[in-house]
Amino acid sequence: MSTLQEAFVPDERTIFDWIETVFARGVRRPGYAADRWTENFCREKFLQFGLEQVRLEPVTLPYWEPLESAIIVRADGRESRIPCFSLPHSAATDGDGLDAPLVQWRDETPGAVRGALALVDVPLMRAPADLPLMLAGAVTREADTSWRRYDPAGTLAGATQVLPFSHQLMAVMDASIAAGAVGFVGVLSDYPGDSNRYYVPYDGVARAIPGVWISGSDGARLRQLCDAGRVQVTLISRAIRHDITSYNVVGEIPGADDDSVIVGSHHDGPWASAVEDASGVSMVLAQASYWSRIAPAERPHRLVFLLNAGHMAGGAGVHAFIDRHRTELARVVLEVHLEHAAIEMVERDGGLAASGHPEPRWWFTSRLASLEAIVREAIVAEQLERSLILPPEVFGPSPTTDGGPFHLAGVPLVNFLTAPFYLFDAIDTLDKIHRPSLAPVTRAAIRIIASTHGVSAGRWQGQG
């Protein structure tokens, strides 16, 4: 069994340099020039590391590019414009835009928005930082889940986490559409930083009506106008949408046997997106760099490195990879996904500031006692505080990760993820990277992968 070879682990500066390189290319939505560049960058790095069977596997997915987003408000004889951002893959407006009254959404009277633009408050979820542990206990029926937490300084106790989703998740427009609204104006109420640049939904599904996001402060002004009387609005949301071919980037190296471990993340992002997921790209490159320097007999299994396309289009890349390689999945010992080395940001003195902590770390781990022990040991060895070991089904049928579909395909997994509120916002810039996490998370993943030495795919699959 291979022991950790510290000299071969890329250091923080090297991993962060890769993040900077990817981030510098600009907005990395599926099919954008920066995402095309990143595909080739990853391919070239795989080749430089000496990986074999390096290839680009095609993925068909929808391309979406907003061209113009505007709200023109007419009330009390005056006209004003409200800054906004179009909801991804929502319907485009024609001509000079969509003219309609603006009506506040109320749960008790949904029919009031029929034929109107629905003004809908969409607050992000706020929850105790250790809520996932309570949910884990409900899933596993464990009386004591304390072993699932590694937080020696106790910083999660009493802390509140702001998540990057509302309770509606991707379905933010659905109730308005069902109620007969002709358009959607989503208010990011109580959103840290008062932003309107929120790339949700990202499931790649075309919606039947146009929609835009506005900031909480602008939403408050519009609500005041609606309370005072009738408000007429022109909504403009122009965009390009069509199918394209993007690519999963794949490379392999042989190991001690022909069972395999897959190490993955995704290469696209909603903006230039340092955390989401230039950090994931770089953590996968760090694994490829490390394992390429280890002798084949010391690698636990064949290693497959995967950087998926189209996470921001409904996870198109990972679904395409699973479909393409379904007959090979029975030989997969473990799937490791690495996403989001993130700083926790909090509101302070009217702005946003780093809390001094990493965002809570979630380690979705298949319910195999030996695998859970391996993950716990790796977390403790690297002193990765604020870590929670979670069952894959803690939030639903599969983990909320790009690698989650592997769980539904029956593949054992360890998926590392953090969920800062800014994950889908343009404020996800280089200063949001938790640089002290980069090398320790890399080493922890190495320890987890190395610990699969001698474990066959058949031994774990079907036990979870």
Side-chain angles (χ1 to χ4, degrees), residues 27-32 61-69 84-93 198-207 209-213 236-244 269-271 312-313:
V27 176
R28 217 169 49 258
R29 294 173 193 150
Y32 280 39
L61 51 78
Y63 175 92
W64 180 80
E65 180 184 352
L67 303 177
E68 183 181 9
S69 306
C84 58
F85 175 70
S86 295
L87 271 75
H89 300 277
S90 60
T93 56
Y198 181 53
Y199 197 90
V200 169
Y202 60 87
D203 54 9
V205 174
R207 260 68 183 193
I209 63 174
V212 294
W213 291 115
I236 299 171
S237 180
R238 299 194 177 98
I240 298 169
R241 187 180 191 277
H242 55 79
D243 284 348
I244 61 164
W271 304 89
M312 309 313 301

Side-chain angles (χ1 to χ4, degrees), residues 414-450:
V414 175
N415 281 189
F416 169 80
L417 180 95
T418 70
F421 76 85
Y422 55 79
L423 200 58
F424 310 118
D425 196 299
I427 64 171
D428 175 10
T429 45
L430 290 171
D431 60 311
K432 307 306 187 301
I433 296 292
H434 190 257
R435 292 183 58 163
S437 288
L438 296 175
V441 170
T442 294
R443 289 194 298 265
I446 290 167
R447 293 178 188 275
I448 291 165
I449 293 166

Side-chain angles (χ1 to χ4, degrees), residues 15-91:
I15 302 171
F16 188 75
D17 281 349
W18 292 331
I19 296 172
E20 282 187 306
T21 298
V22 171
F23 178 84
R25 305 307 299 190
V27 176
R28 217 169 49 258
R29 294 173 193 150
Y32 280 39
D35 192 41
R36 299 290 192 199
W37 183 92
T38 302
E39 288 173 346
N40 286 313
F41 171 74
C42 295
R43 177 180 176 274
E44 289 302 314
K45 295 305 291 184
F46 282 178
L47 290 170
Q48 288 174 22
F49 297 149
L51 272 56
E52 302 173 359
Q53 300 182 51
V54 175
R55 59 197 185 270
L56 300 177
E57 296 184 349
V59 180
T60 299
L61 51 78
Y63 175 92
W64 180 80
E65 180 184 352
L67 303 177
E68 183 181 9
S69 306
I71 298 177
I72 303 169
V73 181
R74 292 178 293 281
D76 299 329
R78 291 176 295 179
E79 182 175 292
S80 60
R81 295 176 74 93
I82 302 292
C84 58
F85 175 70
S86 295
L87 271 75
H89 300 277
S90 60

